[in-house]
Amino acid sequence: MKKKFRLAALAALSVAALSLGACSQSGDSQAGSGAGSPSQAFEIKPAGSYNPLERDQIKDGGELTLSTTEISEQQNRFHGNSTAYTSDLSRWFNPQIALFDGAGTFQANPNYITNISEETIDGNLVLKFDIVEKATYNDGTPIDWRAFENTWKMNNGENPAVVPSSTDGYERITSVTRGDSDKQAVVTFKGAYPWWQGLFNALLHPAVNDAATFNEGFINKVHPEWGAGPYKVETFDPKSGTVSFIPNEKWWGPAPKLDKVTYRVMESQATINAFQNGEIDAAGVGNKDNLAKALKMGDKIDIRAAVTPANSLIVLNSAAPNLGDKKVREAIVRGINRAQISEIRFNGLDYREELPGSLTLYSFQTGYQDNFKEAGSFDPEVSKKLLDEAGWTAGADGIREKDGQKLSIRYTLLGDSPLSKAFASALQKMMKDIGVELTIEERPSSDFSKVTSKNDFDLFFMGFSSSDPFGVAYFGQTWNSDSELNRSGTGTPELDAKIAQLQSLPTAEEQIAAANKLEKEAFAQYGLVPMYNGPSIVAVKNGLANVGALAFAHLPVENIGWAK
């Protein structure tokens, strides 16, 4: 569950997406250097920009209204079809076991966990989680070792009928047992596991213990009774596009600061308009037009910008007509001018970055390497040669043909963003230059889950957002041939076996080195193309605390509110 896909809109993303990682900044990118440029209104902060305030600095009461791209059909955050939008809603009414600051520093949430001990016994990592005595699900079920056991069992991949978002890490666990009491969970791994702080950061209610409930029980449902925490669900209405949360009278911890939190489904243009009109309290302003609109609001708002742990990428569906041949996919990848797309994306922001070269680590992280350039550098002449070799010859109109069929692929475009449309048009021209017909299918942003869950695309622009800094831990989630995140359907049994070997290495350093080597091989399957990272830029109403451009931060929801 550590990487989620989301709509990588080329225009401003909703704050729902931004809170889970919109576009991350390259390590040696620059912004704000031009005199009078809009980016001088803010500073891109590596460790987040979200007005961190302590509880005694925040008012009691008030409401918060935010936008979201969609209310995803799958509301089980552990399921393979869940999205970043699923997780964004889930955090408001489900246990937040782990907290992270913007730099990615881990802390167990003291409202749930009093202590975590770590030791090695006979070469195996053993963790002990001491759970707060009062911690209880809304239906009265204690949050105890059984919740940890069930979370492990439903995510370790042993039941082929269960469709988890990721088995990474959980499959390394050999047992979860009762400790000194029901309120102590003992987790034993096979050997070492350097990324354990990325596991059990959310918990699955013990009642969700069979494939039918796990896979289907949360389709357009949220099950408030299986939640726990400072807030509870007041309204969940996918048809109207509204979800709201209010304080939970069963919460045992510090009282939540807000009286109500509401999410509303909106397209990009509606989001910035609603923010200008005071209808919502924050909005992504990651393009020059929306940023300019926000800046006109003057001192009524605050612009917050940071690096964000996410990749925007193009996915090639290897099961689509005309994309089963790896040579064709390589030709398409080498025909994409990523530098031009980056210029379109960051036009007017006085910002630049090196093209990203990894979907595992970000350029601001230790161990990052550019693993894409060798496999996917822009070279239209190589593209043409590859298509020749694959038997596609140019027709009278320049579009290649084989066996009487045109080389035509479908690009699925979501939303009403002018930048998204500019991106699609540029991509269409690039494909035409190598003899490929690219047709554009326009659909609303709210179709995101429908498109991704059914792989209803040939080419699709989307994003991977990371929930913690342990990217190598989820290498399998990104690249395994049967991973729910790898919507390209590419991969090989041989690569899967190498990934399993990587995950058994004892140290973080060894795993990072192996991941960099394997990612070059994975990119050569030509299913996933990293396009850009970029800064997260969020406009918020003045005084809003613990909201904004979060980087790696996962903050306690009870501390979100309005400054005194």
Side-chain angles (χ1 to χ4, degrees), residues 301-317:
I301 62 139
D302 184 22
I303 302 293
R304 300 172 186 174
V307 303
T308 50
N311 292 283
S312 295
L313 63 151
I314 284 180
V315 183
L316 289 78
N317 181 2

Side-chain angles (χ1 to χ4, degrees), residues 401-447:
E401 300 176 353
K402 184 166 68 169
D403 300 329
Q405 299 293 320
K406 287 184 178 293
L407 182 48
S408 180
I409 56 177
R410 175 174 56 112
Y411 177 80
T412 302
L413 170 64
L414 299 187
D416 64 357
S417 159
L419 268 179
S420 296
K421 293 179 180 180
F423 172 86
S425 296
L427 189 62
Q428 191 174 48
K429 174 62 166 58
M430 294 171 197
M431 292 299 98
K432 185 178 180 181
D433 288 343
I434 61 171
V436 178
E437 179 182 65
L438 185 72
T439 63
I440 299 172
E441 178 188 51
E442 295 189 34
R443 297 173 65 171
S445 296
S446 56
D447 276 1

Side-chain angles (χ1 to χ4, degrees), residues 26-272:
S26 180
D28 54 6
S29 60
Q30 298 181 13
S33 59
S37 67
S39 54
Q40 285 190 326
F42 57 86
E43 176 187 357
I44 297 174
K45 298 181 179 180
S49 177
Y50 44 85
N51 190 24
L53 296 182
E54 299 298 328
R55 288 182 57 82
D56 60 2
Q57 299 173 292
I58 302 171
K59 295 177 182 176
D60 294 326
E63 296 188 8
L64 177 65
T65 303
L66 303 172
S67 68
T68 185
T69 298
E70 71 164 18
I71 299 174
S72 300
E73 182 179 68
Q74 179 57 260
Q75 287 296 317
N76 177 3
R77 68 182 296 173
F78 291 93
H79 193 276
N81 287 338
S82 66
T83 70
Y85 313 114
T86 305
S87 297
D88 197 69
L89 297 180
S90 178
R91 71 186 180 117
W92 286 96
F93 70 103
N94 283 291
Q96 279 187 292
I97 302 302
L99 304 174
F100 290 87
D101 64 17
T105 305
F106 169 87
Q107 176 194 358
N109 188 337
N111 292 313
Y112 294 93
I113 304 296
T114 60
N115 184 62
I116 303 175
S117 65
E118 176 185 4
E119 60 181 327
T120 300
I121 301 176
D122 297 328
N124 300 315
L125 173 65
V126 178
L127 304 174
K128 293 181 180 179
F129 292 80
D130 295 318
I131 306 161
V132 168
E133 191 65 34
K134 292 182 179 180
T136 307
Y137 287 102
N138 292 335
D139 67 354
T141 301
I143 298 176
D144 61 16
W145 75 273
R146 298 175 184 87
F148 282 77
E149 180 191 39
N150 191 53
T151 301
W152 164 58
K153 286 184 174 180
M154 300 306 289
N155 287 282
N156 63 14
E158 291 186 4
N159 185 346
V162 174
V163 185
S165 174
S166 172
T167 62
D168 293 326
Y170 290 108
E171 89 283 3
R172 303 290 304 167
I173 296 171
T174 58
S175 67
V176 177
T177 59
R178 182 183 186 274
D180 295 336
S181 71
D182 284 354
K183 287 289 185 173
Q184 185 181 72
V186 180
V187 180
T188 303
F189 291 79
K190 180 181 179 180
Y193 186 68
W195 317 108
W196 66 263
Q197 292 177 337
L199 300 178
F200 300 106
N201 293 347
L203 293 177
L204 190 63
H205 192 287
V208 189
N209 58 8
D210 60 83
T213 306
F214 185 93
N215 294 338
E216 302 167 17
F218 292 83
I219 294 178
N220 291 320
K221 297 178 183 176
V222 290
H223 288 287
E225 74 277 12
W226 293 339
Y231 290 93
K232 65 180 181 180
V233 179
E234 179 193 45
T235 303
F236 180 79
D237 189 351
K239 290 184 177 179
S240 70
T242 303
V243 182
S244 62
F245 307 96
I246 56 176
N248 185 3
E249 69 280 1
K250 296 180 180 180
W251 169 239
W252 56 91
K257 288 295 184 177
L258 294 167
D259 294 328
K260 186 174 183 177
V261 178
T262 302
Y263 280 86
R264 294 167 51 191
V265 173
M266 294 181 180
E267 289 283 5
S268 173
Q269 296 305 300
T271 297
I272 188 62

Side-chain angles (χ1 to χ4, degrees), residues 269 272-273 276 288-297:
Q269 296 305 300
I272 188 62
N273 292 338
Q276 284 182 295
K288 66 174 183 177
D289 293 334
N290 288 353
L291 179 58
K293 290 177 181 179
L295 290 174
K296 288 180 180 179
M297 298 174 70

